[in-house]
């Protein structure tokens, strides 16, 4: 199944952030971002959330455990998923490994910062997701957030391409 969440996020970036009209949308770009979500980020996200659901920090407060899970999600997982989106989409779009490494060197920090800002803005929803939603539905809630997150990161990954 193709990950439409990532592709929808990219189309949102192209239309809302980059101000492209429907006629000038780069559908191949959206497809490569969808492929990244399908084959890389999507499976990693499922494993990551399964892992986060089992992690306890030895703190008696479930609320504190939840807050630590959100911090790990934002600081660690966002950084990983930003890199995978940048690398995979660039390679699928035909860029050389040398160009990908150059983009990572010069654009990764800005893209990761955008990921953190986007995730921090959605942190209250994420806290509710970790605290109240069963893990089997957590990915669904995260997918809704990921439309916005993917829009921000796709824009940052493609703004110089």
């Amino acid at each position: 199944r193709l990950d439409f969440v990532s592709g929808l996020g990219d189309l949102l970036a192209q239309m809302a952030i980059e101000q492209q009209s429907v006629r000038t949308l780069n559908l191949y770009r959206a497809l490569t971002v969808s492929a990244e979500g399908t084959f890389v980020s999507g499976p990693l996200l499922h494993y990551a959330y399964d892992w986060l659901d089992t992690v306890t920090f030895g703190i008696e407060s479930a609320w504190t455990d939840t807050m630590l899970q959100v911090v790990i999600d934002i600081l660690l997982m966002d950084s990983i998923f930003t890199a995978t989106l940048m690398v995979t989409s660039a390679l699928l779009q035909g860029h050389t490994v040398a160009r990908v490494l150059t983009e990572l060197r010069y654009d990764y920090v800005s893209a990761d910062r955008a990921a953190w800002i986007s995730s921090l803005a959605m942190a209250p929803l994420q806290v509710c997701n970790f605290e109240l939603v069963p893990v089997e539905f957590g990915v669904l809630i995260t997918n809704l957030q990921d439309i916005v997150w993917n829009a921000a990161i796709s824009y940052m990954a493609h703004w110089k391409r």
Side-chain angles (χ1 to χ4, degrees):
R1 156 186 97 69
L2 193 59
D3 177 21
F4 290 106
V5 169
S6 299
L8 186 58
D10 180 70
L11 291 172
L12 180 64
Q14 290 183 52
M15 291 172 58
I17 302 171
E18 298 169 24
Q19 302 292 309
Q20 293 184 28
S21 71
V22 173
R23 281 183 266 141
T24 62
L25 290 176
N26 184 340
L27 297 179
Y28 182 72
R29 171 180 142 176
L31 184 62
T32 62
V33 173
S34 288
E36 188 279 334
T38 300
F39 299 111
V40 182
S41 292
L44 287 175
L45 188 64
H46 282 278
Y47 288 117
Y49 276 89
D50 284 346
W51 173 75
L52 270 180
D53 191 51
T54 65
V55 171
T56 57
F57 298 95
I59 302 168
E60 292 195 26
S61 166
W63 177 255
T64 305
D65 265 357
T66 298
M67 293 303 290
L68 288 171
Q69 288 174 329
V70 170
V71 168
I72 289 169
D73 182 44
I74 292 171
L75 296 180
L76 177 64
M77 288 191 234
D78 277 5
S79 297
I80 292 168
F81 293 128
T82 298
T84 61
L85 188 140
M86 290 180 72
V87 170
T88 306
S89 67
L91 292 173
L92 289 173
Q93 291 168 22
H95 298 287
T96 65
V97 171
R99 180 168 175 186
V100 171
L101 293 174
T102 299
E103 284 182 3
L104 284 174
R105 185 176 316 119
Y106 292 107
D107 299 335
Y108 174 76
V109 171
S110 297
D112 202 34
R113 189 176 307 129
W116 289 353
I117 291 168
S118 174
S119 290
L120 285 170
M122 294 182 281
L125 181 59
Q126 196 68 330
V127 169
C128 291
N129 189 21
F130 282 127
E131 186 67 23
L132 304 172
V133 177
V135 71
E136 60 270 14
F137 300 113
V139 173
L140 174 64
I141 301 298
T142 299
N143 281 339
L144 296 174
Q145 291 175 264
D146 279 349
I147 293 171
V148 174
W149 188 88
N150 274 297
I153 303 315
S154 185
Y155 170 73
M156 293 302 294
H158 292 94
W159 74 290
K160 288 185 181 176
R161 287 188 198 164

